[in-house]
Amino acid sequence: MKTSTLREYAKLIAVKGVNVQKGQEVWITAQLDQPKFVEMLVKECYAAGAKRVSVDWQHDPLTVLHSKYMTQSAMNELPNWQVEKMKYQAEILPARIYLDSEDPDGLKYAKQDKIAQEKIAKYPIRKPYIDSMDNKYQWCIAAVAGKEWAKKVFPNERVSSAVEKLWEAILYTSRADSTPIQNWERHNKDLHSKCDRLNSLGLKYLEYKSSNGTDLRVELLENAQFLAGSEKTLQGVEFNPNIPSEEVFTTPKAGAAEGVVYSTKPLSYQGALIENFHIEFKNGKVAKVYAEKNQQLLQQMISMDEGAKMLGECALVPQNSPINNSGILFYNTLFDENASCHLALGRGFSNCIKDYGKYTQKDFDEMGVNNSMIHVDFMLGCDDLDIVGITKSGKRIQIFRNGNWAF
Ligand code: ZN
């Protein structure tokens, strides 16, 4: 990919993605195989006025080794220096950038049980910091073409051409192949007008139906709104949490979903793929799961905590979107979730609540914003998906017809 195009993309992430403020710190999480792009991004962050840019490097093979050789109790410990780091971040609120380039199968040989236990053990220590930072800093997830990822998406290509093709796909679907900043200004306008329309309807339920067996009713929260595209921190700084982003989403009422939902794309969870699965909800919680591949991992996912069995997101994405039209299965949630209507199990979004700055975490819990250590999207969009919205007075309004917006 041309360096000038990548520079523009890095600038998009720094300026529109996290919208680095003068004098703000920036924290980047990236895979070890992306030194060149990270260098470009760091430069753009400084150009935007960053005070200090820190990078946390990750390397899946090391995660695999740690999970193999460390004892469970060592894994479960959170050393003091890591707690201090979290404390520091909670205090100074750096902008956070997460660069996705990892191999979708990169953690296939990791000890998934041990990693799940580790997450459960550390969560109570991390939670107060996570809660205290909620909605107070800008963050952005964006993608970079990694070699293993590219080979997974384009298995018949040589490595170099697979990487080039993945770059093309990332930049096209991220609306970053030319004039990215202008594209995103226009795109945000479109998305915000969709939200306004939905928010004016006063919906109480969404009903999903498709011929593959999906038949699900989800209750919405009375004071929750649909959001899309750019968001604002409590301090009023605008940022784009996902590049790409096609979804219009809200946080549903936790523990108020009934019926069954069939996934339409594989789910990448902790470096492994869960395939051809469906989930049954009873009394608002997952009652049963079935997966052709990696059922046990899915079972483990919904057992992480109480919130993992309840919904935390309803997202509407038309089948007619750049990602879906590209015809590429990315094996990466950032892309696949933006190709298709999806739901998420786990943590909900408190910033969907009207005037969310007025409430505490406890208020959100009581309102029915789901709380969990996980937030995992899974796709249910397909060409004959119908979604009907039901208002408080029982009026039925067609929201999606045959996989696309009905209005
Ligand atoms: Zn989503």
Side-chain angles (χ1 to χ4, degrees):
M1 188 49 60
K2 275 202 331 225
T3 308
S4 57
T5 310
L6 293 180
R7 274 194 210 295
E8 286 288 301
Y9 176 53
K11 187 174 176 185
L12 174 75
I13 297 169
V15 171
K16 282 281 157 188
V18 289
N19 187 7
V20 177
Q21 301 291 291
K22 291 233 171 338
Q24 188 178 22
E25 291 207 22
V26 180
W27 224 288
I28 299 171
T29 304
Q31 295 279 319
L32 200 54
D33 65 341
Q34 298 301 333
K36 277 282 157 234
F37 188 77
V38 170
E39 201 182 310
M40 280 183 209
L41 181 58
V42 169
K43 196 172 169 200
E44 292 300 334
C45 290
Y46 282 125
K51 174 187 170 188
R52 177 183 295 116
V53 184
S54 308
V55 182
D56 282 341
W57 294 102
Q58 291 187 340
H59 190 44
D60 283 349
L62 292 187
T63 309
V64 173
L65 286 178
H66 294 321
S67 78
K68 261 190 190 159
Y69 294 108
M70 275 171 88
T71 62
Q72 186 73 63
S73 67
M75 279 172 81
N76 291 359
E77 271 169 32
L78 198 58
N80 266 343
W81 65 269
Q82 284 182 4
V83 178
E84 286 303 321
K85 181 174 163 186
M86 266 186 324
K87 224 183 260 177
Y88 181 75
Q89 289 173 337
E91 247 165 56
I92 62 146
L93 301 169
R96 304 290 299 261
I97 299 171
Y98 304 91
L99 289 180
D100 252 14
S101 65
E102 57 261 49
D103 177 1
D105 295 318
L107 297 179
K108 201 161 74 181
Y109 299 110
K111 299 277 178 218
Q112 294 290 354
D113 291 357
K114 286 171 79 181
I115 292 175
Q117 283 310 313
E118 174 189 13
K119 209 171 169 184
I120 292 169
K122 286 179 177 168
Y123 186 63
I125 313 168
R126 295 177 53 233
K127 190 174 184 301
Y129 301 104
I130 295 172
D131 289 346
S132 89
M133 286 190 282
D134 211 15
N135 303 321
K136 292 186 188 138
Y137 65 98
Q138 317 96 281
W139 55 278
C140 176
I141 310 177
V144 182
K147 277 184 197 159
E148 285 82 11
W149 181 19
K151 277 298 280 179
K152 175 86 181 174
V153 178
F154 300 105
N156 300 322
E157 302 285 335
R158 279 180 301 124
V159 174
S160 60
S161 83
V163 169
E164 187 62 17
K165 281 197 147 165
L166 183 56
W167 262 127
E168 281 167 17
I170 289 171
L171 295 176
Y172 166 70
T173 55
S174 300
R175 299 170 192 260
D177 37 11
S178 70
T179 61
I181 290 185
Q182 290 94 313
N183 293 352
W184 274 81
E185 275 161 10
R186 211 171 5 199
H187 183 46
N188 273 323
K189 240 185 225 161
D190 284 354
L191 288 170
H192 292 159
S193 80
K194 280 266 165 9
C195 287
D196 292 345
R197 176 78 194 263
L198 279 170
N199 290 331
S200 72
L201 299 174
L203 299 177
K204 185 167 164 72
Y205 297 102
L206 290 178
E207 261 182 21
Y208 297 82
K209 273 199 178 109
S210 58
S211 63
N212 61 4
T214 290
D215 188 351
L216 183 76
R217 178 189 261 224
V218 180
E219 188 173 339
L220 303 178
L221 282 169
E222 200 176 334
N223 48 353
Q225 295 186 302
F226 284 90
L227 298 180
S230 65
E231 297 176 10
K232 277 185 182 155
T233 63
L234 280 170
Q235 301 88 326
V237 181
E238 193 173 0
F239 68 102
N240 282 278
N242 286 181
I243 295 178
S245 181
E246 302 293 327
E247 59 175 357
V248 176
F249 66 94
T250 191
T251 201
K253 187 167 176 179
E258 291 297 320
V260 59
V261 51
Y262 282 74
S263 78
T264 51
K265 282 186 201 292
L267 165 61
S268 169
Y269 178 65
Q270 295 194 356
L273 291 171
I274 301 167
E275 291 180 51
N276 296 325
F277 61 98
H278 62 263
I279 299 175
E280 221 179 288
F281 289 88
K282 261 200 191 114
N283 302 319
K285 288 188 181 173
V286 176
K288 221 158 83 190
V289 295
Y290 171 82
E292 257 172 41
K293 206 177 144 199
N294 276 326
Q295 161 144 354
Q296 218 194 333
L297 187 59
L298 180 58
Q299 196 71 49
Q300 186 191 74
M301 183 184 111
I302 61 155
S303 310
M304 293 296 283
D305 55 18
E306 267 313 286
K309 293 185 185 62
M310 298 189 278
L311 293 177
E313 178 185 0
C314 293
L316 305 174
V317 187
Q319 292 293 100
N320 184 16
S321 72
I323 297 176
N324 205 39
N325 291 341
S326 77
I328 298 168
L329 181 60
F330 284 86
Y331 302 99
N332 177 297
T333 304
L334 175 63
F335 288 82
D336 296 332
E337 75 158 343
N338 278 303
S340 177
C341 278
H342 57 270
L343 298 165
L345 286 165
R347 193 174 177 94
F349 300 111
S350 56
N351 63 335
C352 287
I353 302 294
K354 245 180 260 166
D355 303 317
Y356 59 89
K358 291 201 297 206
Y359 303 107
T360 63
Q361 185 60 45
K362 195 162 161 270
D363 296 329
F364 294 131
D365 292 346
E366 280 164 10
M367 278 176 208
V369 177
N370 196 17
N371 206 334
S372 171
M373 72 182 83
I374 70 158
H375 174 98
V376 184
D377 289 331
F378 62 94
M379 315 323 144
L380 75 155
C382 57
D383 289 339
D384 69 355
L385 176 67
D386 273 11
I387 305 174
V388 172
I390 304 169
T391 66
K392 258 180 280 174
S393 58
K395 199 172 140 203
R396 297 174 67 85
I397 301 164
Q398 192 87 33
I399 308 289
F400 262 56
R401 186 178 290 116
N402 292 327
N404 286 307
W405 290 103
F407 48 74

